[in-house]
Amino acid sequence: MIKKDAKSGFIFTKHTPKEHSPFDKLFDIFQELITHTSGDFDEAMEWLKQLDEEYELTNEDYSLDDFVEDLKKKGYLREEIKIDGKSGLAITEKTERALRKKALEQIFGNLRKSGAGNHRTKQTGRGDEQAGEFRDYRFGDSLEQISMTESFKNAQINHGLGDFTLSENDLVVEETMYKTQMSTVLMIDISHSMILYGEDRITPAKKVAMALSEFITTRYPKDTLDILVFGDDAWPIQIKDLPYLNVGPYHTNTVAGLQLAMDLLRRKRNTNKQIFMITDGKPSCIQLPDGRYYKNSNGLDTHIVNKCYAMASQARKLHIPITTFMIAEDPYLMLFVEEFTAANKGKAFYTGLKGLGEMIFSDYETNRTKRIR
């Protein structure tokens, strides 16, 4: 640890880790458990009791009952009447916010902080943020763009160090970058395959969604984020619904998800629009014109796949890039994603669960497809 002394300068001392209270230690674990149980308080507490028995998380001075009482006092729990008519406990909006903040710290904590605001484009001109590039002054440039330091330097070079002279030819302008707004739709696959083969894929997807929503709302408040889930059908969900998100006995109707995503983006006035899709399975379901569902889980069904390609092309015509985060490495699925990405001229990442958040963060920061001129 470094401390500054007014008389002698800097003093180096041994770092002393910050002490965490018993509540804080348990609350960190509780947040993980409540995310895994999709907001089920009773199930989360059962897991916490098992962990306590195994690792002795509590003692005589602070028990799990004390922890629950503190959760109530601090506003993290509320009383509710359950479906069976019995009273119980459930998490509050304050807990939901805490989960989003924790997800952001977990996923993006090792990345540099970005200033709240908007996204930079590569188009320079009269903008908001200095680009570090200089050019000669042109008629019509504003006074705020003139770099006085560079202009004075030019004047000394051009006219010498005697009588100071500054002419129009000496003026130098620093380029600035336009800032834009971004509208994003995040699509999350909640088909049954997201928990198949003993691997929990939905929890990391939820964490990414919570982290991204917290990141956008706190650091880019002018941007918009819509979140939708897709199984046999697709429907939008609110940010507050994310901790309770779970999979169902669904097939994967990618077409329905893309249709809803584009419908949501059509209503946005922002210049830049994009779709992020997190999925681990092949498209296996579409709704027919008569309302019936056509489902086929065996391989890649040509009829379903062609509908997906058509949606990708339609999004391209609307200048909406689709970035697919494929949580699978099956060769035939990767081939589908390659064809899908080519039809949209978008991007695809073939990834496991580790590093998914960082990939989405990086793509969100750099995916600027339409320039303001």
Side-chain angles (χ1 to χ4, degrees):
M1 181 181 294
I2 304 174
K3 297 180 180 179
K4 189 173 182 181
D5 185 273
K7 296 181 180 179
S8 58
F10 292 98
I11 300 174
F12 293 85
T13 61
K14 185 176 180 181
H15 172 67
T16 304
K18 183 180 178 181
E19 284 292 329
H20 292 284
S21 67
F23 173 83
D24 291 334
K25 292 177 181 177
L26 289 174
F27 190 55
D28 281 343
I29 301 171
F30 174 76
Q31 288 178 90
E32 287 293 326
L33 296 177
I34 204 71
T35 302
H36 280 276
T37 62
S38 299
D40 189 321
F41 172 76
D42 293 334
E43 185 179 356
M45 287 306 299
E46 283 299 321
W47 286 12
L48 188 56
K49 288 177 183 177
Q50 292 179 27
L51 291 173
D52 185 27
E53 292 173 0
E54 185 172 353
Y55 298 103
E56 298 182 352
L57 303 176
T58 63
N59 53 41
E60 294 180 355
D61 296 326
Y62 195 83
S63 66
L64 286 182
D65 289 337
D66 295 326
F67 174 64
V68 172
E69 286 302 313
D70 280 346
L71 287 173
K72 294 178 185 177
K73 292 176 183 177
K74 294 175 183 290
Y76 292 110
L77 289 181
R78 61 178 172 81
E79 296 279 349
E80 73 165 8
I81 303 299
K82 298 189 176 183
I83 299 176
D84 58 7
K86 298 180 180 179
S87 62
L89 294 171
I91 61 175
T92 64
E93 291 183 8
K94 184 176 180 179
T95 310
E96 295 163 5
R97 290 194 300 270
L99 294 176
R100 294 196 296 269
K101 183 178 179 182
K102 182 177 179 62
L104 178 63
E105 291 171 351
Q106 284 182 330
I107 294 174
F108 302 144
N110 60 335
L111 299 172
R112 291 186 304 172
K113 292 183 179 180
S114 299
N118 302 311
H119 305 272
R120 288 173 287 186
T121 69
K122 293 180 180 179
Q123 182 68 30
T124 57
R126 189 180 299 174
D128 305 292
E129 185 170 319
Q130 293 177 340
E133 300 175 1
F134 299 97
R135 61 170 174 81
D136 294 336
Y137 172 84
R138 292 194 296 259
F139 178 77
D141 289 331
S142 66
L143 292 176
E144 291 82 3
Q145 289 180 273
I146 296 175
S147 171
M148 299 309 297
T149 302
E150 295 297 321
S151 299
F152 286 160
K153 187 189 299 182
N154 265 0
Q156 291 178 346
I157 293 172
N158 295 336
H159 309 294
L161 299 175
D163 294 335
F164 179 76
T165 303
L166 179 67
S167 67
E168 181 178 334
N169 292 332
D170 301 322
L171 297 178
V172 175
V173 166
E174 183 169 7
E175 292 279 24
T176 52
M177 304 290 281
Y178 283 109
K179 290 184 178 181
T180 65
Q181 294 177 339
M182 179 72 75
S183 288
T184 302
V185 172
L186 176 62
M187 297 173 50
I188 303 175
D189 184 350
I190 59 167
S191 62
H192 185 60
S193 61
M194 291 289 277
I195 55 169
L196 279 180
Y197 314 117
E199 185 173 36
D200 177 11
R201 294 168 174 173
I202 190 63
T203 299
K206 279 193 295 187
K207 285 188 175 183
V208 167
M210 288 192 290
L212 187 61
S213 61
E214 184 71 8
F215 177 77
I216 291 176
T217 55
T218 57
R219 302 189 192 182
Y220 294 105
K222 295 181 182 179
D223 287 5
T224 67
L225 174 67
D226 289 278
I227 303 171
L228 66 87
V229 294
F230 62 105
D232 290 347
D233 289 296
W235 59 94
I237 63 172
Q238 300 296 317
I239 291 176
K240 64 181 180 63
D241 299 327
L242 285 171
Y244 312 100
L245 189 61
N246 214 334
V247 300
Y250 307 126
H251 286 69
T252 308
N253 192 341
T254 307
V255 170
L258 292 170
Q259 287 175 332
L260 178 55
M262 285 190 281
D263 184 49
L264 291 170
L265 288 175
R266 283 192 189 97
R267 306 172 192 174
K268 307 298 181 183
R269 296 182 179 180
N270 289 349
T271 304
N272 291 348
K273 300 176 182 181
Q274 64 182 353
I275 295 172
F276 287 164
M277 178 167 65
I278 303 175
T279 181
D280 76 326
K282 58 183 176 294
S284 58
C285 173
I286 57 171
Q287 189 171 19
L288 301 174
D290 61 6
R292 293 181 298 118
Y293 291 92
Y294 173 69
K295 303 175 182 179
N296 185 1
S297 299
N298 298 318
L300 287 171
D301 186 290
T302 304
H303 182 56
I304 297 175
V305 166
N306 287 340
K307 289 286 187 181
C308 291
Y309 295 155
M311 292 301 300
S313 298
Q314 184 179 340
R316 177 175 56 82
K317 292 176 182 177
L318 295 172
H319 306 290
I320 300 174
I322 302 170
T323 303
T324 304
F325 298 89
M326 193 70 176
I327 314 174
E329 297 180 353
D330 306 69
Y332 77 104
L333 291 180
M334 293 175 70
L335 181 61
F336 158 71
V337 173
E338 287 174 7
E339 295 289 337
F340 178 85
T341 303
N344 176 255
K345 297 191 183 301
K347 286 181 284 186
F349 296 92
Y350 306 96
T351 174
L353 298 174
K354 186 177 181 181
L356 176 63
E358 285 84 351
M359 287 184 180
I360 289 182
F361 170 85
S362 298
D363 203 59
Y364 182 83
E365 290 281 83
T366 58
N367 193 11
R368 310 171 187 94
T369 61
K370 191 171 183 179
R371 314 301 178 196
I372 297 179
R373 298 184 182 278

